[in-house]
Amino acid sequence: MANPLPTSEPVAPVIAQIAAGPAGAAVGAFFDLDGTLVDGFTATAHAGHRIRSRQSSIGEVFGVIEAALRYRMGRMQFERLVVRAAGYLRGESLAALDELGQQLFTDRVASWIYPQMRELVHAHQERGHTVALCSSALTIHAEPVARFLGVDHVLCNHFAVDEHGRLTGDIVRPVIWGPQKAAAVQRFSAHAGIPLDRSYFYADGDEDTALMELVGHPHPVNPRPRLAAAAVRHGWPVLRVAGAGRSRPRLLRRRFRV
């Protein structure tokens, strides 16, 4: 007999639950980025830019594609994937990459944000909750989204840099992914005095099960297969969101002065 589908719910009841629940900074609301807040993968905007501007060699393009496919098939660890990608940027200025990341967000990624997820972020902010973006993405991809949404806390991966602020081709350890993402949220919550059993977590990835099991209000969002299966086992309500809309670049440029 086939496994039953996880219970799906629209966003409105979750917003009502948030509004009726406890207020204050002792309640955490943790949001994954790619596939959860954003319809797609933020890193593809940077990859596309490198290809269009001919900064990427054919070897780099095929190397990244090969690594991504091996990761998706379970034949490469996420840490090796992200370090390999960082290696192609060795020697670049982190400040220049930060500026580019903001520009790519304004021109492209802003229109990928799920409107319903933006409403959820706002609902938590209205209640004074401690809202954090926790993602395996790198700073140049995660921080522009956080700034746009008014999220003050970002737990994500960082490029290793030398004394001149240039990338070494490595990533700061521990690499945030799966259990390490859960550990990063635990450290952050302990320091901020946030009980995880009162907190929320929204994510889509199979690797996010570890953190889902720690919070009192787990909400898989458009979950991938193994997370969907875990939602069935645990009775976690699943959110289905769609329709990322298109923002107006001119208004976004005015907001960020770029």
Side-chain angles (χ1 to χ4, degrees), residues 162-187:
D162 63 19
E163 65 274 18
H164 304 294
R166 294 193 173 275
L167 275 59
T168 67
D170 204 354
I171 301 295
V172 175
R173 303 304 198 281
V175 171
I176 294 178
W177 184 86
Q180 285 295 345
K181 182 191 288 188
V185 170
Q186 285 178 298
R187 290 191 297 270

Side-chain angles (χ1 to χ4, degrees), residues 28-32 130 132-135 154-156 176-196 199-201 208 210-212 214-215:
F30 301 97
F31 289 83
D32 178 45
T130 299
L133 192 159
C134 53
S135 169
V154 181
L155 310 177
C156 69
I176 294 178
W177 184 86
Q180 285 295 345
K181 182 191 288 188
V185 170
Q186 285 178 298
R187 290 191 297 270
F188 173 84
S189 299
H191 183 265
I194 298 170
L196 286 178
S199 297
Y200 296 73
F201 178 44
D208 289 314
L211 184 50
M212 288 281 173
L214 296 178
V215 299

Side-chain angles (χ1 to χ4, degrees), residues 142-161:
E143 290 178 349
V145 178
R147 283 193 291 269
F148 179 74
L149 295 174
V151 174
D152 295 327
H153 307 286
V154 181
L155 310 177
C156 69
N157 285 312
H158 292 250
F159 290 111
V161 297

Side-chain angles (χ1 to χ4, degrees), residues 227-255:
L227 181 57
V232 171
R233 291 196 305 272
H234 294 281
W236 297 332
V238 168
L239 293 175
R240 301 285 179 186
V241 297
R246 294 288 173 180
S247 299
R248 296 181 181 178
R250 195 171 296 172
L251 293 177
L252 291 167
R253 290 194 184 95
R254 188 179 307 140
R255 176 167 184 171

Side-chain angles (χ1 to χ4, degrees), residues 50-251:
R50 285 179 62 79
I51 292 170
R52 288 190 303 274
S53 60
R54 301 191 177 184
Q55 295 176 342
S56 297
S57 67
I58 295 296
E60 176 183 335
V61 173
F62 282 106
V64 170
I65 291 172
E66 178 205 8
L69 288 173
R70 291 179 64 195
Y71 165 70
R72 296 294 284 182
M73 292 187 293
R75 297 178 182 175
M76 177 180 280
Q77 294 180 339
F78 178 81
E79 181 171 328
R80 289 182 61 197
L81 171 66
V82 72
V83 169
R84 184 167 180 174
Y88 292 118
L89 301 175
R90 188 195 320 268
E92 296 206 22
S93 161
L94 180 59
L97 285 174
D98 284 338
E99 185 176 345
L100 175 62
Q102 182 60 65
Q103 185 66 57
L104 291 172
F105 172 80
T106 301
D107 291 343
R108 294 180 177 274
V109 178
S111 65
W112 304 351
I113 294 175
Y114 286 116
Q116 291 171 297
M117 296 307 297
R118 187 175 176 184
E119 290 175 18
L120 276 172
V121 170
H122 182 68
H124 283 290
Q125 291 168 331
E126 284 285 292
R127 298 294 288 160
H129 295 167
T130 299
V131 180
L133 192 159
C134 53
S135 169
S136 299
L138 287 152
T139 50
I140 63 170
H141 308 130
E143 290 178 349
V145 178
R147 283 193 291 269
F148 179 74
L149 295 174
V151 174
D152 295 327
H153 307 286
V154 181
L155 310 177
C156 69
N157 285 312
H158 292 250
F159 290 111
V161 297
D162 63 19
E163 65 274 18
H164 304 294
R166 294 193 173 275
L167 275 59
T168 67
D170 204 354
I171 301 295
V172 175
R173 303 304 198 281
V175 171
I176 294 178
W177 184 86
Q180 285 295 345
K181 182 191 288 188
V185 170
Q186 285 178 298
R187 290 191 297 270
F188 173 84
S189 299
H191 183 265
I194 298 170
L196 286 178
D197 61 359
R198 299 179 64 191
S199 297
Y200 296 73
F201 178 44
Y202 304 88
D204 72 305
D206 297 336
E207 71 278 4
D208 289 314
T209 302
L211 184 50
M212 288 281 173
E213 293 175 342
L214 296 178
V215 299
H217 303 284
H219 287 286
V221 179
N222 297 346
R224 284 179 284 185
R226 287 197 294 276
L227 181 57
V232 171
R233 291 196 305 272
H234 294 281
W236 297 332
V238 168
L239 293 175
R240 301 285 179 186
V241 297
R246 294 288 173 180
S247 299
R248 296 181 181 178
R250 195 171 296 172
L251 293 177

